[in-house]
Amino acid sequence: MVLIYVGIDVAKDKHDCCILGDSGTCLRESFSFSNDKEGFSKLIAAISAVSGKSADSSQIRTGLEATGHYSANLVAFLRSSGFQPVVFNPLRVKLYRQAISLRRTKTDKADAKCIAGILMSEVSSPVTVSYQIQELKSLTRHRHRLVAICSRSKVSMSRMVDLLFPELPSLGLRTGQASTLALMAELPGADMIAACRIDRLTNILRYASKGRYGREKAEAIKSMAKKGV
């Protein structure tokens, strides 16, 4: 049976913790600990002090609010120490805080006690954000960043092609395809393409397109380059 509820409010450099007993009594007033090894050891010492040597991790529930990467190290540390921390959706914490208090004041120490209270009131079916969901959110944000980088790069490449060889797209070569990228990387400009040997130009296109383009396409590009502005 769970006897102790440890609520932790996570921040960047330090965290606040409050420990409640089964009846809601405050076993340890809210205290702060640093977001490092020394601070984590202070947390474990505080839990041990109120639980006693006879208590095991199954009698202790720990919980915190989902705060992105700021809580990652703490969650990993708690798991390695034998606990199963519950990571709450921030909206759930906000609604619970509003339900138990009419005051709009918000402090880290009050939030720590609030999270401990949620743990105590939702022993059977807590509304949580799982570790896997947190990882998926992180991966999704990273994917969005990569997509944005690719989009900006394509726009930049298109602008450069318009400046250096504006007639190139009329030959059926799209700005972002491998053949165009390889061609412009080797020969960045219509004048350089016009002066290039046909065998070298053919090899660049054939290798980049995996055999799709050959000498015929190379001759068309070279001819267009000679006529271009």
Side-chain angles (χ1 to χ4, degrees):
M1 181 178 180
V2 176
L3 300 175
I4 296 171
Y5 305 92
V6 182
I8 305 170
D9 184 73
V10 174
K12 179 180 179 180
D13 299 317
K14 70 174 184 64
H15 311 311
D16 289 280
C17 176
C18 179
I19 305 177
L20 301 181
D22 244 354
S23 60
T25 55
C26 190
L27 301 179
R28 173 69 187 268
E29 290 292 341
S30 295
F31 64 95
S32 299
F33 62 95
S34 54
N35 187 24
D36 54 26
K37 184 176 181 180
E38 182 179 352
F40 293 171
S41 298
K42 180 180 178 180
L43 171 64
I44 295 300
I47 295 175
S48 300
V50 299
S51 62
K53 295 182 179 180
S54 60
D56 57 41
S57 58
S58 64
Q59 297 175 294
I60 303 169
R61 263 180 96 76
T62 59
L64 58 152
E65 186 178 351
T67 54
H69 64 281
Y70 291 141
S71 59
N73 288 339
L74 178 58
V75 170
F77 174 79
L78 289 171
R79 287 199 174 104
S80 68
S81 300
F83 301 102
Q84 294 299 321
V86 181
V87 184
F88 288 100
N89 188 307
L91 178 61
R92 179 69 189 89
V93 177
K94 179 181 179 180
L95 293 175
Y96 183 87
R97 184 173 58 247
Q98 291 174 345
I100 63 174
S101 176
L102 297 176
R103 295 186 300 174
R104 296 185 179 274
T105 55
K106 180 184 183 300
T107 65
D108 295 339
K109 296 184 184 302
D111 279 352
K113 188 173 184 178
C114 174
I115 293 170
I118 298 176
L119 284 170
M120 187 174 61
S121 65
E122 298 184 347
V123 174
S124 59
S125 57
V127 181
T128 67
V129 177
S130 71
Y131 172 75
Q132 290 82 0
I133 290 178
Q134 287 295 102
E135 288 296 300
L136 286 173
K137 286 172 63 179
S138 179
L139 288 173
T140 300
R141 286 193 291 266
H142 184 54
R143 180 184 180 277
H144 283 315
R145 286 194 294 269
L146 293 178
V147 169
I149 291 172
C150 288
S151 297
R152 289 194 298 269
S153 298
K154 288 179 180 179
V155 171
S156 179
M157 181 63 184
S158 179
R159 182 176 63 84
M160 294 304 296
V161 170
D162 289 341
L163 290 172
L164 299 174
F165 195 175
E167 298 85 4
L168 186 61
S170 67
L171 295 172
L173 292 176
R174 300 187 309 277
T175 301
Q177 73 183 83
S179 302
T180 305
L181 295 175
L183 179 64
M184 299 306 293
E186 291 285 335
L187 305 166
D191 55 341
M192 297 182 67
I193 294 173
C196 181
R197 299 191 315 273
I198 191 64
D199 56 339
R200 183 190 176 199
L201 186 57
T202 300
N203 289 335
I204 292 173
L205 291 172
R206 181 178 289 122
Y207 180 79
S209 67
K210 297 181 179 180
R212 179 182 177 188
Y213 299 136
R215 188 179 181 90
E216 182 180 353
K217 179 65 76 173
E219 289 177 343
I221 293 174
K222 186 177 177 70
S223 176
M224 180 66 76
K226 290 179 179 180
K227 300 175 184 178
V229 297

